Amino acid sequence: MTIERELPLLPLRGILVFPYMVIHLDVGRERSMAAIEKAMLDDRIILLTSQKETEIDSPNPDDLYEMGTIAEIKQLLKLPGGTMRVLVEGISRGRIIEYLEEEEYFRVSVEELAEAKRSMTPELETLVRGMTHQFEEYAKLGKRVPLETIGTVLAVEEPGRLADIVASHLNLKVPDKQTILEAMSVELRLERLTELIMREIELLELERRIGQRVRKQMDKAQKEYYLREQIKAIQKELGDKDERQAEADEYREKVAKAKCPKEVEEKALKEIERLEKMPPSSAEGTVVRTYLDWLLVLPWTKSSRDKIDLNRSEDILNQDHYGLEKVKERILEFLAIRKLTPKMKSPILCLVGPPGVGKTSLAKSISRSLNRKFVRMSLGGLRDEAEIRGHRRTYIGALPGRIIQGVRTAGTRNPVFLLDEIDKMSSDFRGDPASALLEVLDPEQNNTFTDHYLEVPFDLSQTLFVLTANTLHTIPRPLLDRMEIINISGYTEDEKLNIASRYLVPKQLEAHGLSKEVFTLEDDILLKLLQGYTRESGVRGLERQVANLCRKIAVRWVKKEWEPHTLTVEDLESTLGAPRYHFQVAGKSPEIGAVTGLAFTEVGGVVLTVEVTPLPGKGRLTITGQLGDVMKESAQAAWTFVRAYATQLGIEEDFYDRTDLHIHVPEGATPKDGPSAGITMATAIASAIAKRYVRHDLAMTGEITLRGNVLPIGGVKEKVLAAHRAGIKVVVLPEENRKDLEEIPENVRKILEFHFVSRIEEVLELALLPLAHSDKVQENVPVHSYGQSGIPDTQPIREERPTTC
């Protein structure tokens, strides 16, 4: 019997409802709730259809089975959060004929398939008996169906209804249940149901056998435990030691030999007692053993004895490094004090300087001179605070931090501990390692440094910590306060030359399998090499170029195309190519509006020319040359000073009403910044407006204020060396930088003439030629400095690094 009717449709996920089945459904999707509300407004009848895929949140008609169950809504309850709980009862099967609406909710045309009563035939009775027998077996094995439910289910006489009720009690997947729902023939339905029940019985039987096997294994483990306990009791009566007792006694002997501090000894003995009480196979026992091994292997009292011989230490430092006098002097001071007071706490030395100047290798030389063990730890990129202090033992695979690991590697409590690249640490959600280092690097605290893993204090006060950094501004201030800063400036040309001839060339010859007879590198050619092919503060690039030279000659030597001889400039250019860098030299003659300034870059000092050209206009100032904000402000301050002191400078007061000024610093592709070009710009402006020539053999550096005061600057040594290279004879420096003169090599100090100034008027008096002399220069010297093109004679340095003036 079939009836066609229109009903709202409720899609079900992961569940299927049979006729005569009563069940609660939780509904939260908008279309589903709209379908229920429509059914409640009509006659409470709704079609329940299962989805083919449970993951689909908004199903289409293709995602739903065609056969479903027509049900009546018995009860509706709205829950907090906008969801509904619905009690439904299945009535009959229903097949979808057509989808009438899909937008707000699914409304479908349904063919209601009411099931007619069947008389019991012998074949049907056989199928029912077989199915009920299998169901009873399934209920006994699964223990998921209550006994009273079994009785109620089997009391149903109608075969079709009995099959639907049994199917609803089985733990089947939706596709399997759907095959039963779609079976309209009672015989077919019973056959499919019997087959599915038999399959479930096989699975339950397999589960039972696996469960019995596991239970036997557990019983076996309990039996072994009881037997072991009996063995222990027997051993106790006989006076024999068991395995755990022997292990504990072995650890106690190690504690007695280790000569640990009292606090550490108590902690170790307490852990040994815990180990004794643990079962041998316990995972916690492994953690305790690892902890005890770490506790007993650390050098709590073992120290290496310092061989304090100042002459020997000085020889070692001089052998390993050329120059670096301040650092060597500080190390020798430490050794001398150490000899007088052996209990003095070790200082925290921080070597700051550009890359390649020998900071890391200097720490190795310190350990050699002290005869101490050397440990290196790189802090570059370190983000986790636990790398310093370790993890607590509650974590799986926990270990002490890198500080304690380094001390264990050294085997003594007073090694030279190098913390490399301390300026390149960072922090994230795992903590700030820089803050964790505060305790390590404080001489007042590190005698009780506590690692999270050890949980007992370790004395680091005898450890000599040496830190390296390229810059200080990224190091946190509290950490910086605990260090003794030793600045290492870039090497001078003379120092590089000595380093190359003494260390780098012999090292690379040996590394490339070449003997000294193959080629000889004289100092003048080596100077050409470092001037024309390198531009750096350290010597790494120079070593690479020497290695490159050795490789090129090695190829020719193997091909028998090379005759041993002393290298010439032509040999350099044929092997390494044309020189890449050219130093700017001093001007050949005085110029108007062009002043030589001194600047500082990452690779050392350079000479820069500041050019000023006045133009007809209305007092506008144009600044070019890729200058930073600070340098632009210096130009503005210089311009304002010249305008304010025009009368004193011999310039017409109203010159700015009809004059524009263009300030340019050559090398337009190189970024430049800093305040130390202030007096250079002021001198160039005064020269251009007063039309007075500037001395070509003079260079200057210093910051200017609006009142004409000259303030101190940095990088004096590097700037003066650059002036010396360029052929400058006179250098003008701020008065407050007079103290920095002692850093400049003596051979350079003797050649150059220094003037220390505190006012811009003193600078102008030194730099600008008198008017009469300027007229004479103008008559006798062709104006080659600024011709029609306005381009100076000297070519600017091709430099790709930022310049700080």
Side-chain angles (χ1 to χ4, degrees), residues 639-705:
W639 173 234
T640 304
F641 170 78
V642 172
R643 285 178 58 179
Y645 290 83
T647 306
Q648 291 90 321
L649 299 175
I651 303 169
E652 296 179 15
E653 289 188 14
D654 58 348
F655 73 93
Y656 52 84
D657 289 337
R658 57 183 182 278
T659 306
D660 284 350
L661 217 57
H662 186 159
I663 300 177
H664 178 69
V665 183
E667 300 178 68
T670 305
K672 310 169 195 72
D673 202 5
S676 63
I679 64 171
T680 313
M681 290 180 175
T683 306
I685 293 170
S687 166
I689 295 171
K691 296 181 181 178
R692 290 174 63 180
Y693 280 81
V694 182
R695 290 182 62 175
H696 62 285
D697 61 348
L698 178 142
M700 62 183 69
T701 179
E703 183 179 354
I704 189 176
T705 68

Coordinates of all heavy atoms in Angstrom, one line a residue, residues 639-705:
W639 N 73.9 75.4 7.9 CA 73.3 76.5 7.1 C 72.8 77.6 8.0 O 73.0 78.8 7.7 CB 72.2 75.9 6.3 CG 71.3 76.8 5.5 CD1 70.0 76.9 5.5 CD2 71.7 77.8 4.5 NE1 69.5 77.8 4.7 CE2 70.5 78.4 4.0 CE3 72.9 78.2 4.0 CZ2 70.6 79.4 3.1 CZ3 73.0 79.2 3.1 CH2 71.8 79.8 2.6
T640 N 72.1 77.2 9.1 CA 71.6 78.2 10.0 C 72.7 79.0 10.7 O 72.7 80.2 10.9 CB 70.7 77.6 11.1 OG1 69.7 76.8 10.4 CG2 70.1 78.6 12.0
F641 N 73.8 78.3 11.1 CA 75.0 79.0 11.7 C 75.6 80.0 10.7 O 75.9 81.1 11.1 CB 76.0 77.9 12.1 CG 77.3 78.6 12.6 CD1 77.4 79.1 13.8 CD2 78.4 78.6 11.7 CE1 78.6 79.7 14.2 CE2 79.6 79.2 12.1 CZ 79.7 79.8 13.4
V642 N 75.8 79.6 9.5 CA 76.4 80.5 8.5 C 75.6 81.7 8.3 O 76.1 82.9 8.3 CB 76.7 79.8 7.2 CG1 77.1 80.8 6.1 CG2 77.7 78.7 7.4
R643 N 74.2 81.6 8.3 CA 73.3 82.7 8.1 C 73.4 83.6 9.4 O 73.4 84.8 9.3 CB 71.9 82.2 7.9 CG 71.7 81.7 6.5 CD 70.2 81.2 6.4 NE 69.3 82.2 6.6 CZ 67.9 82.0 6.5 NH1 67.5 80.8 6.1 NH2 67.1 83.0 6.7
A644 N 73.5 83.0 10.6 CA 73.4 83.8 11.8 C 74.8 84.5 12.0 O 74.8 85.6 12.6 CB 73.2 82.8 13.0
Y645 N 75.9 84.0 11.5 CA 77.2 84.6 11.8 C 77.8 85.1 10.5 O 79.0 85.1 10.3 CB 78.1 83.6 12.4 CG 77.7 83.2 13.9 CD1 76.8 82.3 14.1 CD2 78.4 83.9 14.9 CE1 76.4 82.0 15.4 CE2 78.0 83.6 16.2 CZ 77.1 82.6 16.5 OH 76.7 82.3 17.8
A646 N 76.9 85.5 9.5 CA 77.4 85.9 8.2 C 78.4 87.1 8.3 O 79.4 87.1 7.7 CB 76.2 86.3 7.3
T647 N 78.1 88.1 9.2 CA 78.9 89.3 9.3 C 80.3 88.9 9.8 O 81.4 89.3 9.3 CB 78.3 90.3 10.3 OG1 77.0 90.5 9.9 CG2 79.1 91.6 10.4
Q648 N 80.4 88.0 10.9 CA 81.7 87.6 11.4 C 82.5 86.8 10.4 O 83.7 86.8 10.4 CB 81.5 86.7 12.7 CG 81.0 87.5 13.9 CD 79.4 87.5 13.9 OE1 78.8 87.6 12.9 NE2 78.9 87.4 15.1
L649 N 81.8 86.1 9.5 CA 82.5 85.3 8.4 C 82.8 86.1 7.2 O 83.4 85.6 6.2 CB 81.6 84.1 8.0 CG 81.2 83.2 9.2 CD1 80.3 82.1 8.7 CD2 82.5 82.5 9.7
G650 N 82.5 87.4 7.2 CA 82.8 88.3 6.1 C 81.9 88.1 4.9 O 82.3 88.2 3.7
I651 N 80.7 87.7 5.2 CA 79.7 87.5 4.1 C 78.6 88.5 4.3 O 78.2 88.9 5.4 CB 79.1 86.0 4.3 CG1 80.2 85.0 4.2 CG2 78.1 85.7 3.2 CD1 79.7 83.6 4.6
E652 N 78.0 88.9 3.1 CA 76.9 89.9 3.2 C 75.7 89.3 3.9 O 75.4 88.1 3.8 CB 76.5 90.2 1.8 CG 77.6 91.0 1.0 CD 77.1 91.3 -0.4 OE1 75.9 91.2 -0.7 OE2 78.0 91.6 -1.3
E653 N 75.1 90.1 4.8 CA 74.0 89.6 5.7 C 72.8 89.1 4.9 O 72.1 88.2 5.3 CB 73.6 90.7 6.6 CG 74.6 91.0 7.7 CD 74.1 91.9 8.8 OE1 72.9 92.1 8.8 OE2 74.9 92.5 9.5
D654 N 72.5 89.7 3.8 CA 71.3 89.4 3.1 C 71.6 88.4 1.9 O 70.8 88.4 0.9 CB 70.6 90.6 2.5 CG 71.5 91.4 1.6 OD1 72.7 91.1 1.6 OD2 71.0 92.3 0.9
F655 N 72.7 87.7 2.0 CA 73.0 86.8 0.8 C 71.9 85.8 0.6 O 71.7 85.3 -0.6 CB 74.4 86.1 1.1 CG 74.3 85.0 2.1 CD1 74.1 83.7 1.7 CD2 74.4 85.3 3.5 CE1 74.0 82.7 2.7 CE2 74.4 84.3 4.4 CZ 74.2 83.0 4.0
Y656 N 71.2 85.3 1.6 CA 70.3 84.2 1.5 C 69.0 84.6 0.7 O 68.2 83.8 0.3 CB 70.0 83.5 2.8 CG 69.5 84.5 3.9 CD1 68.2 84.9 4.0 CD2 70.4 85.0 4.8 CE1 67.8 85.8 4.9 CE2 70.1 85.9 5.8 CZ 68.7 86.3 5.8 OH 68.3 87.2 6.8
D657 N 68.8 86.0 0.6 CA 67.6 86.4 -0.1 C 67.7 86.2 -1.6 O 66.7 86.1 -2.3 CB 67.4 87.9 0.2 CG 66.9 88.2 1.6 OD1 66.4 87.2 2.2 OD2 67.1 89.3 2.1
R658 N 68.9 86.0 -2.1 CA 69.1 85.8 -3.5 C 69.9 84.6 -3.9 O 70.4 84.5 -5.0 CB 69.7 87.1 -4.1 CG 71.1 87.5 -3.5 CD 71.6 88.8 -4.0 NE 72.9 89.1 -3.5 CZ 73.1 89.7 -2.3 NH1 72.0 90.0 -1.6 NH2 74.3 89.9 -1.9
T659 N 70.1 83.7 -2.9 CA 71.0 82.6 -3.1 C 70.4 81.3 -2.6 O 69.9 81.2 -1.5 CB 72.4 82.7 -2.4 OG1 72.9 84.0 -2.8 CG2 73.3 81.6 -2.7
D660 N 70.3 80.3 -3.5 CA 70.0 78.9 -3.2 C 71.3 78.2 -3.0 O 72.3 78.5 -3.5 CB 69.1 78.2 -4.2 CG 67.7 78.7 -4.2 OD1 67.3 79.4 -3.3 OD2 67.0 78.4 -5.2
L661 N 71.2 77.1 -2.1 CA 72.4 76.4 -1.8 C 72.2 74.9 -2.1 O 71.1 74.3 -1.6 CB 72.8 76.6 -0.4 CG 74.3 76.7 -0.1 CD1 74.9 77.8 -0.9 CD2 74.6 76.9 1.4
H662 N 73.1 74.2 -2.8 CA 73.0 72.8 -3.1 C 74.1 72.1 -2.4 O 75.3 72.3 -2.8 CB 73.0 72.5 -4.6 CG 72.7 71.0 -4.9 ND1 72.3 70.6 -6.1 CD2 72.8 69.9 -4.1 CE1 72.1 69.3 -6.1 NE2 72.5 68.9 -4.9
I663 N 73.8 71.2 -1.4 CA 74.9 70.5 -0.7 C 74.8 69.0 -1.2 O 73.7 68.4 -1.2 CB 74.7 70.5 0.8 CG1 74.7 71.9 1.4 CG2 75.7 69.6 1.5 CD1 74.5 72.0 2.8
H664 N 75.9 68.5 -1.6 CA 76.0 67.1 -2.2 C 77.2 66.4 -1.6 O 78.3 67.0 -1.5 CB 76.1 67.2 -3.7 CG 76.1 65.8 -4.3 ND1 75.1 64.9 -4.3 CD2 77.2 65.1 -4.9 CE1 75.5 63.8 -4.8 NE2 76.7 63.9 -5.2
V665 N 76.9 65.2 -1.2 CA 78.0 64.3 -0.8 C 78.1 63.2 -1.8 O 77.2 62.4 -2.0 CB 77.8 63.7 0.6 CG1 78.9 62.8 1.1 CG2 77.5 64.8 1.6
P666 N 79.3 63.1 -2.5 CA 79.4 62.0 -3.5 C 79.2 60.6 -3.0 O 79.1 60.4 -1.8 CB 80.8 62.3 -4.1 CG 81.1 63.7 -3.7 CD 80.4 64.0 -2.5
E667 N 79.2 59.7 -4.0 CA 78.8 58.3 -3.7 C 77.3 58.3 -3.4 O 76.9 57.8 -2.3 CB 79.6 57.6 -2.6 CG 81.1 57.6 -2.8 CD 81.8 57.0 -1.6 OE1 81.6 55.8 -1.3 OE2 82.4 57.8 -0.9
G668 N 76.5 58.7 -4.3 CA 75.1 58.8 -4.1 C 74.4 57.5 -3.8 O 73.3 57.5 -3.2
A669 N 75.0 56.4 -4.2 CA 74.3 55.1 -4.0 C 74.6 54.5 -2.6 O 74.0 53.6 -2.1 CB 74.9 54.1 -5.0
T670 N 75.5 55.2 -1.8 CA 75.9 54.7 -0.5 C 75.1 55.4 0.6 O 75.2 56.7 0.7 CB 77.4 54.8 -0.2 OG1 78.1 54.2 -1.3 CG2 77.8 54.2 1.1
P671 N 74.4 54.8 1.5 CA 73.7 55.5 2.6 C 74.7 56.1 3.5 O 75.7 55.4 3.9 CB 72.9 54.4 3.3 CG 72.8 53.2 2.3 CD 74.1 53.3 1.5
K672 N 74.4 57.3 4.0 CA 75.3 58.0 4.9 C 74.5 58.6 6.0 O 73.4 59.1 5.8 CB 76.2 59.1 4.2 CG 76.8 58.6 2.9 CD 77.4 59.7 2.1 CE 77.7 59.3 0.7 NZ 76.5 59.1 -0.1
D673 N 75.0 58.6 7.3 CA 74.3 59.2 8.4 C 75.3 59.5 9.5 O 76.4 59.0 9.5 CB 73.2 58.3 8.9 CG 72.1 59.1 9.6 OD1 72.2 60.3 9.6 OD2 71.2 58.4 10.2
G674 N 74.9 60.3 10.4 CA 75.7 60.7 11.6 C 75.9 62.2 11.7 O 75.8 62.9 10.7
P675 N 76.3 62.7 12.8 CA 76.5 64.1 13.0 C 77.9 64.7 12.8 O 78.1 65.9 12.8 CB 76.1 64.3 14.5 CG 76.6 63.0 15.1 CD 76.4 61.9 14.1
S676 N 78.9 63.8 12.5 CA 80.2 64.3 12.5 C 80.6 65.0 11.3 O 81.8 65.4 11.1 CB 81.2 63.1 12.8 OG 81.1 62.2 11.8
A677 N 79.7 65.2 10.3 CA 80.1 66.0 9.1 C 79.6 67.4 9.3 O 79.7 68.2 8.3 CB 79.4 65.4 7.9
G678 N 79.2 67.8 10.5 CA 78.7 69.1 10.7 C 79.7 70.2 10.4 O 79.4 71.2 9.6
I679 N 80.9 70.2 10.9 CA 81.9 71.3 10.7 C 82.3 71.2 9.2 O 82.7 72.3 8.6 CB 83.1 71.2 11.6 CG1 83.9 69.9 11.4 CG2 82.6 71.3 13.1 CD1 85.2 69.9 12.2
T680 N 82.3 70.0 8.6 CA 82.7 69.9 7.2 C 81.7 70.7 6.3 O 82.1 71.4 5.4 CB 82.8 68.4 6.8 OG1 83.5 67.7 7.7 CG2 83.4 68.3 5.4
M681 N 80.4 70.5 6.6 CA 79.4 71.2 5.8 C 79.4 72.7 6.1 O 79.3 73.5 5.1 CB 78.0 70.6 6.2 CG 77.8 69.2 5.7 SD 76.1 68.6 6.2 CE 76.2 67.0 5.4
A682 N 79.6 73.1 7.3 CA 79.7 74.5 7.6 C 80.8 75.2 6.9 O 80.7 76.3 6.3 CB 79.8 74.7 9.1
T683 N 82.0 74.5 6.8 CA 83.2 75.0 6.1 C 82.9 75.1 4.6 O 83.3 76.1 4.0 CB 84.4 74.2 6.4 OG1 84.6 74.0 7.8 CG2 85.6 74.8 5.8
A684 N 82.3 74.1 4.1 CA 82.0 74.1 2.7 C 81.0 75.2 2.3 O 81.2 75.9 1.3 CB 81.4 72.7 2.2
I685 N 80.0 75.4 3.1 CA 79.0 76.5 2.9 C 79.7 77.9 2.9 O 79.5 78.7 2.1 CB 77.8 76.4 3.9 CG1 77.0 75.2 3.6 CG2 76.9 77.7 3.8 CD1 76.0 74.9 4.7
A686 N 80.5 78.1 4.0 CA 81.2 79.4 4.2 C 82.2 79.6 3.0 O 82.3 80.7 2.4 CB 82.0 79.4 5.5
S687 N 82.9 78.5 2.5 CA 83.8 78.7 1.4 C 83.0 79.0 0.1 O 83.5 79.9 -0.7 CB 84.5 77.3 1.2 OG 85.2 77.3 0.0
A688 N 81.9 78.4 -0.1 CA 81.1 78.6 -1.4 C 80.6 80.0 -1.4 O 80.6 80.7 -2.5 CB 80.0 77.6 -1.5
I689 N 80.0 80.5 -0.3 CA 79.4 81.8 -0.3 C 80.4 82.9 -0.3 O 80.3 84.0 -1.0 CB 78.4 81.9 0.9 CG1 77.3 80.9 0.7 CG2 77.9 83.3 1.0 CD1 76.4 80.8 1.9
A690 N 81.5 82.7 0.6 CA 82.6 83.8 0.6 C 83.5 83.7 -0.5 O 84.4 84.6 -0.7 CB 83.3 83.6 2.0
K691 N 83.4 82.6 -1.3 CA 84.3 82.4 -2.5 C 85.8 82.4 -2.1 O 86.7 83.0 -2.7 CB 84.1 83.5 -3.6 CG 82.7 83.4 -4.2 CD 82.5 84.5 -5.2 CE 81.1 84.4 -5.8 NZ 80.8 85.4 -6.8
R692 N 86.0 81.7 -1.0 CA 87.4 81.5 -0.5 C 87.8 80.0 -0.7 O 87.0 79.1 -0.4 CB 87.5 81.9 1.0 CG 87.3 83.4 1.2 CD 87.3 83.7 2.7 NE 88.5 83.4 3.4 CZ 88.7 83.6 4.7 NH1 87.7 84.2 5.4 NH2 89.8 83.3 5.2
Y693 N 89.0 79.8 -1.1 CA 89.5 78.4 -1.4 C 89.7 77.7 -0.1 O 90.0 78.3 1.0 CB 90.8 78.5 -2.2 CG 90.5 78.7 -3.7 CD1 90.3 80.0 -4.2 CD2 90.5 77.6 -4.6 CE1 90.0 80.2 -5.5 CE2 90.3 77.8 -5.9 CZ 90.0 79.1 -6.4 OH 89.8 79.3 -7.7
V694 N 89.6 76.4 -0.1 CA 89.8 75.5 1.0 C 91.1 74.7 0.8 O 91.4 74.2 -0.3 CB 88.6 74.5 1.2 CG1 88.9 73.6 2.5 CG2 87.3 75.2 1.4
R695 N 91.9 74.6 1.9 CA 93.1 73.8 1.8 C 92.8 72.4 1.3 O 91.9 71.7 1.8 CB 93.8 73.7 3.1 CG 94.4 75.1 3.6 CD 95.1 74.9 4.9 NE 96.3 74.0 4.8 CZ 97.1 73.8 5.8 NH1 96.9 74.5 7.0 NH2 98.1 73.0 5.7
H696 N 93.6 71.9 0.3 CA 93.3 70.6 -0.2 C 94.0 69.5 0.6 O 93.7 68.3 0.4 CB 93.8 70.5 -1.7 CG 95.3 70.7 -1.8 ND1 95.8 72.0 -1.7 CD2 96.3 69.9 -2.1 CE1 97.1 71.9 -1.9 NE2 97.5 70.6 -2.1
D697 N 95.0 69.8 1.4 CA 95.7 68.8 2.2 C 95.2 68.7 3.6 O 95.8 68.2 4.5 CB 97.2 69.2 2.2 CG 97.4 70.5 2.9 OD1 96.4 71.3 3.1 OD2 98.6 70.8 3.2
L698 N 93.9 69.2 3.9 CA 93.4 69.3 5.2 C 92.0 68.5 5.2 O 91.2 68.6 4.3 CB 93.1 70.7 5.7 CG 92.5 70.9 7.0 CD1 93.1 72.1 7.7 CD2 91.0 71.1 6.9
A699 N 91.8 67.7 6.3 CA 90.6 66.9 6.5 C 90.1 67.2 7.9 O 90.8 67.5 8.8 CB 90.8 65.4 6.2
M700 N 88.8 67.1 8.0 CA 88.2 67.5 9.3 C 87.0 66.5 9.7 O 86.4 65.9 8.8 CB 87.7 68.9 9.3 CG 86.6 69.2 8.3 SD 86.2 70.9 8.2 CE 87.6 71.7 7.5
T701 N 86.7 66.5 11.0 CA 85.5 65.8 11.4 C 85.1 66.4 12.8 O 85.9 66.8 13.6 CB 85.8 64.2 11.6 OG1 84.6 63.6 12.1 CG2 86.9 64.0 12.5
G702 N 83.8 66.5 13.0 CA 83.2 67.0 14.2 C 81.8 67.5 14.1 O 81.3 67.8 13.0
E703 N 81.1 67.4 15.2 CA 79.7 67.9 15.2 C 79.6 69.4 15.5 O 80.4 69.9 16.3 CB 78.9 67.1 16.2 CG 77.4 67.4 16.2 CD 76.6 66.5 17.2 OE1 77.2 65.6 17.8 OE2 75.4 66.8 17.4
I704 N 78.6 70.0 14.8 CA 78.4 71.5 15.1 C 77.1 71.7 15.7 O 76.1 71.0 15.5 CB 78.5 72.2 13.7 CG1 78.6 73.7 13.9 CG2 77.4 71.8 12.8 CD1 78.7 74.6 12.7
T705 N 77.1 72.8 16.6 CA 75.8 73.2 17.2 C 75.4 74.6 16.5 O 76.2 75.2 15.8 CB 76.0 73.4 18.7 OG1 76.9 74.6 18.9 CG2 76.6 72.2 19.4

